[in-house]
Amino acid sequence: MASSSLLWLCSSNPLISPATLLKAHPRFPIRQRFRCSLVEPLKFENGKPHFPLLTSDPAFPTFLSPNSHFQNDINKHDTRLRIFSGTANPALAQEIACYMGLELGKIKIKRFADGEIYVQLQESVRGCDVFLVQPTCPPANENLMELLIMIDACRRASAKNITAVIPYFGYARADRKTQGRESIAAKLVANLITEAGANRVLACDLHSGQSMGYFDIPVDHVYGQPVILDYLASKTICSDDLVVVSPDVGGVARARAFAKKLSDAPLAIVDKRRHGHNVAEVMNLIGDVKGKVAVMVDDMIDTAGTIAKGAALLHQEGAREVYACSTHAVFSPPAIERLSSGLFQEVIITNTIPVSEQNYFPQLTVLSVANLLGETIWRVHDDCSGGFEPYATLGID
């Protein structure tokens, strides 16, 4: 509609060129997709982080790829939008900025000798929409505190809107009381982020949807499923051989939604009893996996105890191959030993949490959610909805 209006205005008044009109009316942004070039890195005291260049591998879903319909609508000169990165996952933040055709904002983050965190923005954000990319991955408390101080710095610098982009919300597991005298840390952290001055939160694959209700500010919840589904589709596994497996009863809804998008594949459930935190015992398998390619789906892999015992049970029940798919790779010891023990044909994760070099193993595949988060940031900034295809999967409403 915007382009047709432009053509009408230009044709009715030959003295007005399209370029002049677009410059005078920011409601008609020009966006251009291009490969990123490295910009000046963040002013971290602990050295310059490494930012990998964006590539055209199958890490991004096809509907968000450079060859999609979204070819000519990025306005890299939109000065109202600023993206800053914390120290938790600067590589992901750089990929997001590359997708959007923007440069990361300049920020100085350092730690004093006693561990206190110091944050200073190196450019003005007055009246801007600011997006702070900082997952609360290990060390969770350090990264959470850094996020809070970044939010406070933006608020005191008169930013118009502050959105905390939290690809991995680390305290989402403590979302209810299962025993007496327990804390609900997810609500506490939500209060901290709100009181620090955030106007909005953008999170990816929360452990449970109820965590959105703990925030007294709007929450945009996106899913990493499109990225993983697009990659699995590229493997051309016969749909008749697939079975989606939930590693526990609590993940049945997630696995069912995943199976529906995999040609409505059958569903199996691993029944387990948990005796304590990070301690699981598999009890039984509900469903048939004999001769099938089993795809285990979970939101995170921490110590890999649950998913490894589930994979062992699937092999005992006759599964031909077992794939593990997870959005968040926490990889607490001894996760790497369990995942690389030969139980899995492939372990597919995303880069919401950075994976250190020593944690790579041959079966590991890391996909990027940069395009997904970048598109969501654009739509939040432009006050657009994601309720129509192909953006319905973004979860923005």
Side-chain angles (χ1 to χ4, degrees):
M1 183 179 293
S3 60
S4 60
S5 301
L6 282 175
L7 292 174
W8 179 83
L9 286 172
C10 294
S11 60
S12 61
N13 191 341
L15 298 179
I16 302 178
S17 67
T20 303
L21 187 60
L22 284 170
K23 186 176 181 181
H25 295 273
R27 293 300 299 171
F28 303 103
I30 302 177
R31 300 179 184 174
Q32 294 180 349
R33 295 296 307 278
F34 56 88
R35 291 188 180 272
C36 70
S37 57
L38 292 183
V39 297
E40 182 180 350
L42 306 181
K43 302 295 185 180
F44 294 145
E45 288 296 309
N46 58 350
K48 298 180 180 179
H50 171 66
F51 296 140
L53 289 175
L54 225 60
T55 59
S56 57
D57 58 13
F60 304 125
T62 52
F63 70 84
L64 292 176
S65 65
N67 294 322
S68 68
H69 78 286
F70 192 58
Q71 282 286 338
N72 55 353
D73 54 349
I74 288 184
N75 180 13
K76 62 182 259 185
H77 303 293
D78 189 347
T79 57
R80 297 178 299 122
L81 173 60
R82 301 292 176 85
I83 302 176
F84 293 90
S85 173
T87 60
N89 198 346
L92 175 59
Q94 180 66 38
E95 290 185 27
I96 293 172
C98 286
Y99 171 81
M100 301 178 68
L102 300 172
E103 295 182 354
L104 283 178
K106 296 179 176 63
I107 186 171
K108 182 179 181 181
I109 302 174
K110 69 176 184 179
R111 283 165 173 76
F112 293 105
D114 62 351
E116 292 183 13
I117 301 171
Y118 172 83
V119 174
Q120 182 189 28
L121 303 179
Q122 301 286 287
E123 57 188 64
S124 174
V125 295
R126 184 178 297 274
C128 296
D129 285 346
V130 178
F131 292 81
L132 305 175
V133 182
Q134 176 79 343
T136 57
C137 52
N141 298 328
E142 287 266 329
N143 291 327
L144 173 61
M145 194 65 198
E146 186 178 302
L147 173 63
L148 298 177
I149 298 175
M150 290 170 64
I151 294 172
D152 183 71
C154 293
R155 178 173 63 88
R156 297 181 186 278
S158 301
K160 181 181 179 181
N161 290 302
I162 304 170
T163 300
V165 181
I166 311 175
Y168 169 68
F169 184 55
Y171 279 91
R173 282 180 286 184
D175 56 2
R176 66 191 187 281
K177 291 181 67 172
T178 58
Q179 304 177 53
R181 301 176 296 280
E182 280 186 333
S183 69
I184 304 179
K187 173 59 177 172
L188 172 63
V189 174
N191 288 342
L192 290 173
I193 293 172
T194 304
E195 291 300 319
N199 304 108
R200 195 178 197 98
V201 168
L202 169 56
C204 184
D205 268 329
L206 292 171
H207 187 63
S208 60
Q210 67 204 43
S211 299
M212 289 186 286
Y214 297 154
F215 291 89
D216 295 326
I217 54 178
V219 177
D220 292 306
H221 186 205
V222 299
Y223 299 91
Q225 280 189 1
V227 178
I228 298 175
L229 285 166
D230 199 68
Y231 176 76
L232 286 175
S234 69
K235 302 187 76 65
T236 63
I237 302 173
C238 180
S239 58
D240 294 334
D241 294 338
L242 275 174
V243 58
V244 176
V245 182
S246 173
D248 52 32
V249 176
V252 171
R254 182 185 302 108
R256 185 183 293 116
F258 197 89
K260 188 174 182 179
K261 295 176 182 178
L262 276 179
S263 303
D264 205 11
L267 183 67
I269 304 169
V270 175
D271 173 41
K272 69 178 176 64
R273 305 282 177 90
R274 187 177 291 279
H275 299 293
H277 296 299
N278 294 329
V279 179
E281 179 183 351
V282 174
M283 301 297 292
N284 199 4
L285 177 67
I286 304 171
D288 181 26
V289 297
K290 189 172 182 180
K292 301 275 189 178
V293 176
V295 179
M296 300 189 73
V297 180
D298 209 349
D299 64 318
M300 72 173 69
I301 299 177
D302 191 355
T303 61
T306 297
I307 204 163
K309 290 183 178 179
L313 179 64
L314 293 176
H315 282 293
Q316 291 176 12
E317 295 293 329
R320 191 168 80 242
E321 294 177 349
V322 178
Y323 288 81
C325 299
S326 176
T327 304
H328 309 301
V330 182
F331 285 176
S332 303
I336 303 302
E337 289 79 1
R338 289 169 171 169
L339 294 173
S340 59
S341 62
L343 290 171
F344 299 97
Q345 181 75 13
E346 192 171 358
V347 178
I348 305 168
I349 62 170
T350 71
N351 62 343
T352 56
I353 298 175
V355 180
S356 58
E357 189 175 346
Q358 62 267 25
N359 284 342
Y360 277 91
F361 52 94
Q363 297 89 354
L364 183 66
T365 298
V366 182
L367 309 178
S368 179
V369 294
N371 285 17
L372 191 69
L373 294 176
E375 176 61 33
T376 306
I377 289 174
W378 267 124
R379 301 184 74 76
V380 170
H381 173 64
D382 291 337
D383 294 326
C384 295
S385 172
F388 58 88
E389 294 294 339
Y391 301 110
T393 52
L394 295 180
I396 316 168
D397 50 20

